[in-house]
Amino acid sequence: MRARQTHTPTRAPRIGRRGFLTAGIAAAGLGLAGCGSGAATSSGRARLRQWNLFTGGDGARLMEMHEAFREEHPEIQLEDTTFMWGDPFYTKFVMGAAGGRAFDIATVHLSRLRGLGTGTLISPVPRDLLAEHGITEDTVPTTVWDKCLVDGELYAIPLDTHLVVTYYNRRICERAGVLEGDGTLVETNGEEELIDLLTEVKEATGQYGIVMETTGAWRQFWSLYRQLGGEMTFDGELVIDDDKALRCLDFLRRVSEEGLAPRASDAPGTPANFQNEIAGLMFGGNWELPTLRDAGMDFGMRPFPAVFGDPLGQGDSHAFVLPYRRTPDREAENAAVAYAAWMLRNSLTWAGGGHTPAYLPVTGSEDYQELEPQAGYREAAENVQFDPQAWFSGSAAQLQSDANSVFQAVHTGATTPEVALDRFKSAAQRLIDTPPPV
Amino acid sequence: MTAHADPAAPRKPRSGSPGAHTPETPRALPTRLRDSLTGLGFVAPFTLLFAAFLLWPMLAALWSSFTDRSLARSDSSFVGLANWQQLAGDPAVWQSLWVTVLFTLLSTPPLVVIALVMALLTNRVSGLGWFLRFSFFAPFLLPVAVVTLIWQWMYQPGFGLINAALARVGLSEVAWLTNENTVLLSVVITTVWWTVGFNFLLYLAALQGIPRQVHEAAALDGAGAWRRLFGITLPLLRRTTALVVMLQMVASLKLFDQAYLLTDGTGGPNYAARPIIGYIVDSGFTEMNIGYASAVSYLFFAVIIVAAIIQYRLFSRPGVES
Amino acid sequence: MTPTSAVASQRRGTRPPLRFTPGGLTFTVLALFLAVVWLIPLVWAVITSLKPESETTAVPVRWLPLEPTFAAYETVIARGDLQQWLLNSTVIATVVTALTLVTCVLAAYAFSKIPFPGRSWLFALFIAGILVPPQVLIIPLFDQMTFLGLIDTYTGIALPQVVAPIMIIILKRFFDAIPRDYEEAARLDGAGHLRILVNVVLPMSTPILAAVGIFTFVQAWNNFLWPFISATDPNLMTVPVGLGTVQGSYGILYAQNMAAAVLGALPLIVVFLLFQRQVVRGVTDAGLK
C-alpha cells in the first residue's frame, strides 16, 4: 500500500512509478491525459491564482485592492476566487492543496496554520525573497510573527489582526448618560462597573443593554478567561482552570438572566439587533465596522471591556500561505510573494474594514493613526488573544464550534455554567483523544 | 454511429466449410481460442476501469480504515481497530446516520405518493400531457446547485417567497434553514420538488402500459372511478411501486448534495441536516483524517447493504412479484 | 380540454366515457394546479433574474419587476466563469457518456454472445459492483487521484464516473433478446465479433443505446459529489460545483444568483424541450431496468 508515499514539498518529484502509473491511467482514459492547468498563460504573464474567504465588506475591500494590484502589476495575471467562510473554505483548501495544482496563494486564519499541514499541504515561505519585497521579522509585531513560525520555518505572511471589540451607539449612550465629554464611551473597570453601565443603557433602550453573538460565545469566553490569566493546554489531557472558567461562564449567564443581553442572538442577527437599536452596545468582531458604517449609524468602538483584568479581546489574524505544489514553479511563487508583500504594504485600505494591519510601517503611519473609529481599539489589537494551540483549535475549527454550541445554552438558561463546563471539558477531551491528522 | 453493411467486404469463406466447425476438427480450437481472446479483449477496457476505480479503492479504503492516514502527513501507521472503536463511540457518526435515516423516512412517502398522483392525473387528463410532463419532470434536470440557489432564495426570511406568502395569509414566518427543527424538513421539501419527476416518469410509463380495455371493461361492469383506481390500477402498479420505493430509498440514503449546499456547507444548526456522507466529507477533507473517514465510509456501505437486504426480503415475497 | 367538449361528450351517449366526465374537469383543474405549483420556483427564479438588485429584497414582495433589466445576466456573463463551467460540464459529460457507451457495449456484447473463460465469474463481480455506491469511494478515490496527480484534471474528474456496471446489465439484457440467427448468419459470412457488433447488433440497438447514453449524460452533467471533490481549481469545475461553491466577493446578490441559476439550468432544459420523447424514454428505460 501507499501509506508512506504522500507528497512532501521538499522532496524531488518522483516521476518514476507515479509517472508511469499516471501514463497508464491516462492511456486508459483514451487520450484524456494532461489537462492540468499550466501556470503561465499564453500571453506570457505569470498567472497567480488567489483563494480567499472574504465576502461582504472584506470582500469588497479585497476586490478594490486587487484592482489596484492589477493596474500596478500588468505582468501578473491575478485570478481570485472566493469560497464560503468557515468549513467550506477549509475543505476546499485541504483538497486543493492535497491535489497540488489548484491555487498559488491563499488566505487562512493564523490560528489554523498548525492544523492545516505545514510542510505537507503548506510550503514554507522563502524568507529572503520576502525580505527583497520589504517584509521581515522587524516589520511585523513579534507576537504575530511568532505565530507564523513552525519549527523555525516561516509558513505564513500575516496581513492583519482582528478581534472582538465593543461597539456603542452614540445616540443611545448619550441618552443613557454614559458618554464622556468627547463623545467616547466611559471606561469601566471590573464586573460591577460594567453591569451598572449595561443597566443604564438598558433603561435608555427599554429593551437590552448589549447584544452579543450567543451562538458564538467562545469569543466572549476566551476574552474573559484570558483577562483572568487563564491558560488552556491539550497535551494528552485538557488543562483548564475550572474556577476561572466558571467565573467567565457565570458572567455570560448573568447578562442574559438579568435581561441585560438577549438570551439568543445569532451571527447575522447580532449586528441587525444593534442596528435596530434594541441595545446600545454590542460585542462583535471589528469586521462589522463597514456594515454599520454603510448603514449610516453614529457609533464608536472601544476594546472589549476590562471585566476581570486588562481589556483583552479574543482574536486572530488573516495570513497568506503558499500551498504545496506538485510541480515546483518558481515564477508562480515569485508572483505569490510579490503579491502578498504588496497587499501588506497597501493594507491601509484593508484597515478600512476594521482590521488592524500587521505591517508596522502602515500602523505607524499618520494616515492610519487618524482612522476613526479604529483608533478606539488600536491598543487592544496589539495584544490580541489568539485561541489556544491545538490542531482542532482556531477560527471555525472544531473546538470553537463545540464550545459555541455548549456555551449558548448558558445564555439561553438551558444549562448552568457548571454543566456547560463539564460538557465543554468532555468535548475537548474527545478532540484530544482523536488521533491528530498532522 | 454508422453501421451499414460493407458491400466490399469479402464474402467468401476463408477455408473449409462451415460444417467443419465441430469440436473434433483441428479448426475448432483456434475458433474457441479466438473467441476467448476476443471476449477477454472486449471486457478488458471496462474491467480495467472497474479494477482501478472501484475494486482498488474499496480495498484501499479497507486498509486505510486500519491506519491513521491523514492528508496532512506524509507517513501513516497501522493502528488496528482504533478507528473502528472511535467510530462506535463518536456521537457525530450516529447523529449523522440518524439524519440520513430520518431523511429517508420523511422523503420516501411523499416522493412515491406525489409521483403516483401526478402520473394518474397526467394519464387521465388529455391534451395537457406535454405541459404536465414538462412541469413535473423539468426540475429533475436541474443541476443541484441551481436547485439550491433557487430554494435558498425561496426560504429567505423577510423577502423570500415562501415566508412572504405565509405572512400574506397571516401566518408567522418560519426560519426554514436556520432553525434546528425545520432545516431537515426544508431539505425534504426541496428534494421532493427536485426529484419527484423521475418517479413520476416511471409511474407514467407503467400506467401507459396498462391496456385501455381493462378500464373499459371495468367501467362497463359499473365500477366507479375510485373502485377502478383501488381495484385495478393500483394492484397493476404494484411492481412499479415496489421498484420506485426501492430506488427512492437507496437514493434518499445517499443524501448529501442538496443538504450540503442548502446549509452552505455547515450541515445546518447543530448539524441537524448533516447526513452520514456529509460526515465522511467533513472528517476526510475538513479534518483530513483519511483513515477514520474510510472507516465511516464502510459503515455507510454496511447501511446500504442492510437496506438492500431488507428490501430484497420485503419485495421478493411471493405475491408481490406477480 | 374545455368545458364545452365535456358537455358535448356527455350528450353523445349513455356509456360513461372515460375521459370527458365532469370528474375529468376536476382532474384537469387539479393537474393544472399541481403543475403551476411545480413551476413557481422556476418562474420565480426567472422573474428575480430580471429585476434590478435593489428590487429583489424589497418588502413587501412584488411579483413583477418594476424596471425589468438584463443587468444581472450581463454581469454574470461578463464574469466569464459560468461559461467555463458550462464548457467543462459539456466536455466531461460527453467524455463520460462516450466512454461508458464504448466500454459497456463491448463488455455487454462479450457477456451476451462470446464464451470466454471466467465469464460468469466476472459478470458476478460486476453485479456485486452495483451494490457499491460511488459515495463510499470518495475518500479512497481522492487519495488515489492525489497519488496519481490527477486531482484537478479532466481525466481525474471523468474516469471514475465511467464505472457504472448497471449499464452492462441493461445492455446485456437487450443483446440477449436479439435472436441468434442474425449473428450466426453473419458468422457464416466470416464476420468477426467486432464486425457483428458494429454491423448487426448495434443497428438493432439504437433505442437502448440512446436510453443509456441520455441517462448517462444527464447523470454526468448533474453529478456533484465527485467533481466537487476532484475539481478544486475553479477553471476545472463543472456547473453544479462552480455554482455551488464559488462565492461572489460582494456577498449574496439574488438577481445575479438567479441569472446564473437560469443560465446553468438552460442547456438540459433546452435539450429536454427539443427531445422530450427521447429523454423520457431514456430515463424510463435505463431507470426501470
Side-chain angles (χ1 to χ4, degrees):
Chain A
M1 278 303 215
R2 56 200 193 291
R4 314 206 149 257
Q5 316 251 0
T6 339
H7 27 74
T8 46
T10 40
R11 195 189 52 206
R14 354 167 20 113
I15 302 159
R17 190 153 79 93
R18 179 183 289 160
F20 178 75
L21 272 166
T22 310
I25 294 288
L30 300 180
L32 255 181
C35 330
S37 15
T41 55
S42 49
S43 59
R45 299 196 294 164
R47 188 164 107 171
L48 180 64
R49 292 162 303 167
Q50 193 266 10
W51 281 13
N52 65 80
L53 39 57
F54 299 122
T55 54
D58 285 347
R61 240 159 224 97
L62 187 78
M63 292 303 113
E64 188 187 331
M65 293 173 78
H66 281 182
E67 279 318 307
F69 177 83
R70 286 188 184 104
E71 257 175 45
E72 276 184 41
H73 293 272
E75 78 285 1
I76 294 174
Q77 185 185 332
L78 175 63
E79 296 175 10
D80 44 38
T81 306
T82 305
F83 293 103
M84 245 170 293
W85 192 92
D87 273 354
F89 172 80
Y90 283 109
T91 307
K92 277 282 165 195
F93 177 89
V94 166
M95 294 191 296
R101 58 159 65 96
F103 60 96
D104 304 307
I105 191 164
T107 56
V108 297
H109 291 102
L110 206 45
S111 60
R112 295 291 296 269
L113 185 66
R114 283 164 178 75
L116 287 174
T118 45
T120 46
L121 297 181
I122 300 177
S123 296
V125 179
R127 278 202 215 193
D128 33 339
L129 188 59
L130 191 62
E132 280 174 33
H133 290 281
I135 316 292
T136 63
E137 209 173 332
D138 304 326
T139 60
V140 172
T142 317
T143 45
V144 179
W145 184 266
D146 286 349
K147 285 265 162 196
C148 302
L149 300 175
V150 179
D151 300 329
E153 285 262 34
L154 183 70
Y155 278 101
I157 310 168
L159 174 64
D160 68 28
T161 58
H162 50 269
L163 77 170
V164 57
V165 295
T166 312
Y167 290 80
Y168 55 97
N169 180 325
R170 279 218 177 80
R171 215 163 51 81
I172 293 177
C173 288
E174 184 161 27
R175 210 169 348 127
V178 293
L179 288 190
E180 302 280 8
D182 62 353
T184 57
L185 186 69
V186 294
E187 215 173 302
T188 59
N189 222 316
E191 185 173 352
E192 294 314 317
E193 278 188 39
L194 179 64
I195 295 288
D196 290 345
L197 172 80
L198 295 182
T199 313
E200 284 170 54
V201 177
K202 177 185 162 76
E203 277 161 16
T205 62
Q207 295 187 67
Y208 298 102
I210 189 166
V211 287
M212 60 188 87
E213 202 186 317
T214 62
T215 52
W218 167 260
R219 287 204 181 99
Q220 287 87 268
F221 171 81
W222 188 246
S223 306
L224 296 167
Y225 188 68
R226 290 298 299 150
Q227 291 190 1
L228 284 167
E231 300 280 348
M232 201 183 285
T233 57
F234 308 94
D235 279 333
E237 65 175 342
L238 174 68
V239 176
I240 182 173
D241 188 322
D242 283 12
D243 293 339
K244 288 175 177 162
L246 281 176
R247 279 184 71 187
C248 304
L249 291 173
D250 198 58
F251 178 81
L252 302 184
R253 177 200 60 77
R254 186 175 175 192
V255 290
S256 281
E257 203 168 281
E258 296 183 5
L260 299 173
R263 285 190 176 275
S265 181
D266 63 5
T270 305
N273 285 333
F274 184 60
Q275 272 180 57
N276 294 335
E277 307 199 326
I278 70 166
L281 302 170
M282 172 173 81
F283 289 155
N286 57 228
W287 51 90
E288 306 286 4
L289 191 160
T291 316
L292 298 174
R293 176 174 282 163
D294 291 349
M297 279 188 82
D298 181 17
F299 68 99
M301 290 163 80
R302 282 194 43 75
F304 194 88
V307 181
F308 298 130
D310 292 330
L312 301 177
Q314 184 269 359
D316 204 339
S317 162
H318 294 123
F320 294 107
V321 295
L322 308 176
Y324 152 74
R325 212 178 267 288
R326 183 162 287 274
T327 19
D329 183 342
R330 290 296 298 178
E331 202 185 355
E333 194 177 79
N334 286 342
V337 172
Y339 159 84
W342 187 95
M343 293 294 282
L344 261 65
R345 289 197 307 272
N346 292 277
S347 51
L348 187 65
T349 313
W350 190 242
H355 306 302
T356 308
Y359 187 57
L360 290 172
V362 168
T363 45
S365 70
E366 243 171 67
D367 287 341
Y368 178 75
Q369 297 286 333
E370 282 166 10
L371 282 183
E372 285 289 346
Q374 282 89 334
Y377 59 93
R378 206 168 43 219
E379 273 122 55
E382 284 167 18
N383 212 356
V384 56
Q385 296 301 308
F386 284 93
D387 281 2
Q389 197 69 65
W391 64 267
F392 45 75
S393 175
S395 296
Q398 196 59 43
L399 186 77
Q400 265 198 13
S401 77
D402 284 350
N404 285 337
S405 77
V406 170
F407 293 164
Q408 70 164 335
V410 174
H411 276 290
T412 61
T415 49
T416 61
E418 287 76 15
V419 174
L421 181 60
D422 278 349
R423 287 194 186 152
F424 171 73
K425 282 159 82 173
S426 59
Q429 192 58 47
R430 197 159 49 232
L431 289 172
I432 293 169
D433 295 341
T434 308
V438 288
Chain B
M1 206 164 290
T2 54
H4 51 83
D6 184 0
R11 291 247 159 175
K12 63 168 186 269
R14 299 223 181 115
S15 63
S17 67
H21 283 253
T22 53
E24 283 76 35
T25 60
R27 290 223 43 82
L29 209 87
T31 307
R32 258 176 62 190
L33 188 65
R34 210 169 51 222
D35 267 359
S36 297
L37 289 177
T38 316
L40 289 170
F42 274 24
V43 292
F46 188 87
T47 310
L48 215 72
L49 291 171
F50 186 87
F53 300 119
L54 197 145
L55 224 47
W56 174 254
M58 274 310 274
L59 296 171
L62 190 61
W63 168 253
S64 292
S65 73
F66 296 108
T67 70
D68 62 353
R69 211 172 130 48
S70 153
L71 279 181
R73 224 186 309 105
S74 48
D75 56 340
S76 66
S77 43
F78 185 78
V79 294
L81 289 170
N83 287 323
W84 297 88
Q85 278 163 352
Q86 189 194 333
L87 181 153
D90 183 351
V93 168
W94 305 108
Q95 192 217 357
S96 57
L97 193 57
W98 171 240
V99 168
T100 294
V101 171
L102 188 62
F103 173 82
T104 307
L105 295 176
L106 288 175
S107 64
T108 305
L111 276 165
V112 174
V113 173
I114 295 177
L116 177 62
V117 170
M118 284 173 164
L120 288 171
L121 286 173
T122 308
N123 195 42
R124 180 73 203 261
V125 170
S126 59
L128 290 169
W130 177 91
F131 175 67
L132 295 178
R133 274 207 307 272
F134 176 79
S135 311
F136 297 150
F137 183 66
F140 182 76
L141 293 171
L142 304 184
V144 59
V146 169
V147 172
T148 55
L149 278 177
I150 294 176
W151 281 86
Q152 278 185 324
W153 169 223
M154 305 256 304
Y155 284 136
Q156 254 332 290
F159 38 82
L161 193 63
I162 297 179
N163 277 326
L166 288 179
R168 182 71 59 90
V169 296
L171 295 169
S172 58
E173 277 199 355
V174 176
W176 293 100
L177 295 170
T178 47
N179 182 320
E180 195 181 334
N181 300 315
T182 52
V183 62
L184 191 63
L185 184 69
S186 311
V187 177
V188 170
I189 294 173
T190 301
T191 308
V192 169
W193 179 79
W194 180 31
T195 62
V196 76
F198 180 71
N199 296 347
F200 156 74
L201 281 193
L202 296 188
Y203 267 126
L204 192 61
L207 275 174
Q208 285 166 349
I210 299 176
R212 277 219 85 78
Q213 294 92 307
V214 176
H215 279 285
E216 278 164 9
L220 279 180
D221 289 346
W226 290 107
R227 280 261 324 267
R228 290 207 299 278
L229 175 65
F230 286 99
I232 301 170
T233 314
L234 290 188
L236 282 172
L237 287 177
R238 201 180 286 175
R239 264 197 64 181
T240 310
T241 303
L243 180 88
V244 168
V245 170
M246 219 154 82
L247 290 175
Q248 187 52 58
M249 279 179 67
V250 172
S252 286
L253 285 172
K254 293 177 185 168
L255 170 70
F256 171 73
D257 307 357
Q258 65 270 42
Y260 181 85
L261 292 174
L262 277 175
T263 60
D264 283 343
T266 63
N270 274 330
Y271 301 113
R274 178 174 68 177
I276 183 86
I277 295 173
Y279 190 59
I280 293 173
V281 169
D282 281 358
S283 47
F285 299 120
T286 314
E287 286 158 33
M288 301 175 281
N289 206 333
I290 292 293
Y292 186 58
S294 300
V296 183
S297 299
Y298 260 89
L299 175 73
F300 171 64
F301 184 41
V303 170
I304 292 285
I305 296 292
V306 168
I309 292 171
I310 292 175
Q311 286 170 348
Y312 181 77
R313 283 285 176 82
L314 280 181
F315 294 118
S316 66
R317 269 194 315 222
V320 179
E321 197 56 39
S322 53
Chain C
M1 177 171 101
T2 61
T4 2
S5 67
V7 174
S9 65
Q10 260 186 331
R11 239 188 296 133
R12 209 184 303 136
T14 45
R15 186 168 65 95
L18 279 164
R19 292 180 174 196
F20 305 113
T21 57
L25 185 67
T26 323
F27 287 133
T28 309
V29 171
L30 208 63
L32 276 177
F33 172 76
L34 209 52
V36 168
V37 167
W38 240 249
L39 280 179
I40 284 177
L42 287 177
V43 173
W44 185 232
V46 174
I47 289 175
T48 306
S49 71
L50 295 171
K51 286 180 175 176
E53 208 63 65
S54 58
E55 275 185 44
T56 57
T57 54
V59 181
V61 174
R62 281 183 54 92
W63 261 108
L64 293 176
L66 290 169
E67 293 167 49
T69 167
F70 283 102
Y73 287 93
E74 282 162 17
T75 318
V76 168
I77 289 168
R79 217 161 42 207
D81 40 12
L82 185 62
Q83 291 95 307
Q84 180 67 43
W85 299 334
L86 284 165
L87 177 73
N88 294 340
S89 279
T90 311
V91 169
I92 287 166
T94 308
V95 168
V96 169
T97 308
L99 283 180
T100 303
L101 280 174
V102 170
T103 56
C104 291
V105 160
L106 282 174
Y109 178 87
F111 283 126
S112 177
K113 310 281 183 200
I114 313 176
F116 63 91
R119 186 166 91 154
S120 50
W121 180 85
L122 198 60
F123 191 64
L125 184 69
F126 289 172
I127 288 185
I130 295 175
L131 281 174
V132 181
Q135 288 83 352
V136 169
L137 299 170
I138 51 168
I139 298 286
L141 266 180
F142 180 83
D143 211 11
Q144 181 177 345
M145 291 302 187
T146 315
F147 174 70
L148 296 170
L150 292 175
I151 292 297
D152 284 317
T153 64
Y154 280 148
T155 314
I157 303 166
L159 281 190
Q161 299 187 60
V162 175
V163 185
I166 184 86
M167 295 305 173
I168 292 186
I169 313 236
I170 292 172
L171 288 166
K172 176 182 180 292
R173 199 175 292 171
F174 191 91
F175 292 164
D176 282 348
I178 296 176
R180 287 211 155 263
D181 307 359
Y182 290 99
E183 42 168 308
E184 255 150 36
R187 285 216 97 170
L188 289 184
D189 284 350
H193 280 297
L194 197 60
R195 278 260 308 278
I196 298 176
L197 174 61
V198 172
N199 291 351
V200 179
V201 173
L202 287 187
M204 302 174 75
S205 314
T206 40
I208 198 73
L209 291 176
V212 168
I214 289 169
F215 194 76
T216 308
F217 191 89
V218 170
Q219 293 256 303
W221 180 278
N222 285 344
N223 194 1
F224 177 76
L225 186 55
W226 176 247
F228 165 69
I229 284 159
S230 58
T232 58
D233 181 348
N235 292 310
L236 283 158
M237 286 178 178
T238 57
V239 172
V241 180
L243 281 183
T245 57
V246 174
Q247 291 278 294
S249 283
Y250 296 98
I252 299 170
L253 297 170
Y254 291 104
Q256 281 181 31
N257 270 0
M258 290 306 112
V262 169
L263 292 174
L266 220 49
L268 278 196
I269 296 286
V270 168
V271 168
F272 180 62
L273 287 175
L274 291 177
F275 306 102
Q276 189 173 145
R277 198 138 43 94
Q278 286 83 344
V279 173
V280 168
R281 267 202 67 170
V283 170
T284 42
D285 282 7
L288 263 174
K289 299 277 159 59

